[in-house]
Amino acid sequence: MLPKWSKEYSVHNFMIDEQHKKLFELANIADNMIGKQTNPLEIKQVLVALFDYMKTHFRDEEAYMESIQFPALETHREHHKEIVSEMTLLIKNMKYDFKQQLAIITEQWLVRHILQEDMRIGEYQQEMLEKKRAKENKELESENNILEDAFVESEHSAQSKPENNPTLNSTKAIQKDSVLHIYSCMCGKVYNISDPIHAQIQQGKKIYCKHCNTNITYINDMKV
């Protein structure tokens, strides 16, 4: 009895998972024929349908592996070629003992390949996602440190007028005739953002307040 597809076999890609479900379905249809009195022509038709779908799946799976830079792509591709080559030979020379050959295809090639080889794709994808999250968290922490160390922070609320803000006006780092880019956040902190950081924010970069962890919002510019 062949297993049925379940979430534990997911490779975390919708298209590939759906194709695996279909392959499991076809494999189980073929497996059910093994224990019954079935016309050899019907078995061959199922084999051909399974084979055609398998080739489509292999092509799509290889494209997906390439898109995520799966390190074992070439080895996996060679395994696909071996399966296609051997299955082509079996179908071409199929005359007797259809059921035994069907069992070989469904159990040894198809199901084992998915349960063993393809599962590594999902494991790799999850590993890459975890690394990406770790990198994003590190970048967020770095941005918070920049916000705390490099920006001039006012203890006044966002509603305070910049010209009445002694912290902003008395900052030695501010040169005469320069422009202050005033930002604030949900907790009411007011920030004087430098030109380079202001430009990055305007292009979509997110900078977060370390106190309330919300992204700072542009208020206005003030010429000094």
Side-chain angles (χ1 to χ4, degrees):
M1 182 69 178
L2 296 178
K4 293 184 178 180
W5 191 92
S6 66
K7 290 183 179 180
E8 64 183 292
Y9 304 141
S10 173
V11 298
H12 309 289
N13 177 273
F14 179 78
M15 180 185 70
I16 302 301
D17 282 345
E18 288 299 307
Q19 290 182 351
H20 280 168
K21 289 178 187 178
K22 182 65 175 180
L23 287 171
F24 267 82
E25 180 184 328
L26 290 171
N28 273 283
I29 291 173
D31 185 61
N32 289 334
M33 290 182 170
I34 295 175
K36 298 178 181 179
Q37 292 293 329
T38 309
N39 187 314
L41 181 59
E42 291 182 30
I43 296 178
K44 189 168 185 177
Q45 288 174 342
V46 171
L47 275 177
V48 171
L50 182 60
F51 183 42
D52 288 342
Y53 195 81
M54 185 186 295
K55 288 189 292 184
T56 298
H57 166 65
F58 285 169
R59 181 198 64 211
D60 293 342
E61 188 175 75
E62 288 169 13
Y64 171 62
M65 287 189 289
E66 188 172 357
S67 72
I68 63 172
Q69 299 180 327
F70 184 58
L73 169 60
E74 291 307 317
T75 301
H76 208 97
R77 197 196 304 272
E78 287 302 315
H79 195 189
H80 284 171
K81 288 180 180 178
E82 290 175 8
I83 293 175
V84 170
S85 177
E86 292 184 30
M87 196 165 177
T88 300
L89 191 61
L90 268 179
I91 293 176
K92 183 178 179 180
N93 298 325
M94 188 175 288
K95 294 180 180 179
Y96 308 103
D97 205 3
F98 288 80
K99 294 181 179 180
Q100 182 180 354
Q101 292 169 326
L102 188 58
I104 292 173
I105 292 169
T106 56
E107 293 179 25
Q108 295 186 16
W109 293 352
L110 179 60
V111 175
R112 287 186 185 180
H113 177 74
I114 293 174
L115 297 184
Q116 295 177 13
E117 301 298 327
D118 288 357
M119 288 294 290
R120 294 174 186 171
I121 303 172
E123 292 169 0
Y124 171 78
Q125 176 68 343
Q126 286 299 97
E127 182 182 342
M128 292 300 100
L129 286 174
E130 289 174 5
K131 287 183 178 180
K132 182 180 179 181
R133 292 191 193 102
K135 182 180 179 181
E136 289 174 347
N137 289 337
K138 187 175 181 180
E139 289 175 349
L140 177 59
E141 182 179 350
S142 176
E143 288 171 351
N144 283 336
N145 289 336
I146 290 174
L147 193 57
E148 183 175 75
D149 298 337
F151 297 162
V152 179
E153 180 180 312
S154 170
E155 294 299 327
H156 291 261
S157 68
Q159 287 72 31
S160 299
K161 294 183 179 180
E163 59 268 24
N164 296 327
N165 189 320
T167 305
L168 292 177
N169 288 334
S170 62
T171 303
K172 295 180 180 180
I174 300 173
Q175 298 179 354
K176 190 176 181 180
D177 296 327
S178 63
V179 175
L180 302 181
H181 305 291
I182 309 302
Y183 282 73
S184 186
C185 60
M186 291 296 291
C187 68
K189 300 289 184 183
V190 175
Y191 299 95
N192 162 35
I193 305 301
S194 64
D195 285 336
I197 301 298
H198 172 68
Q200 291 180 35
I201 295 174
Q202 294 304 305
Q203 291 174 4
K205 185 178 180 66
K206 298 292 185 182
I207 299 293
Y208 297 85
C209 171
K210 194 166 186 177
H211 301 281
C212 64
N213 203 33
T214 60
N215 59 294
I216 60 175
T217 305
Y218 174 70
I219 304 298
N220 57 26
D221 287 345
M222 182 182 73
K223 190 173 182 179
V224 295

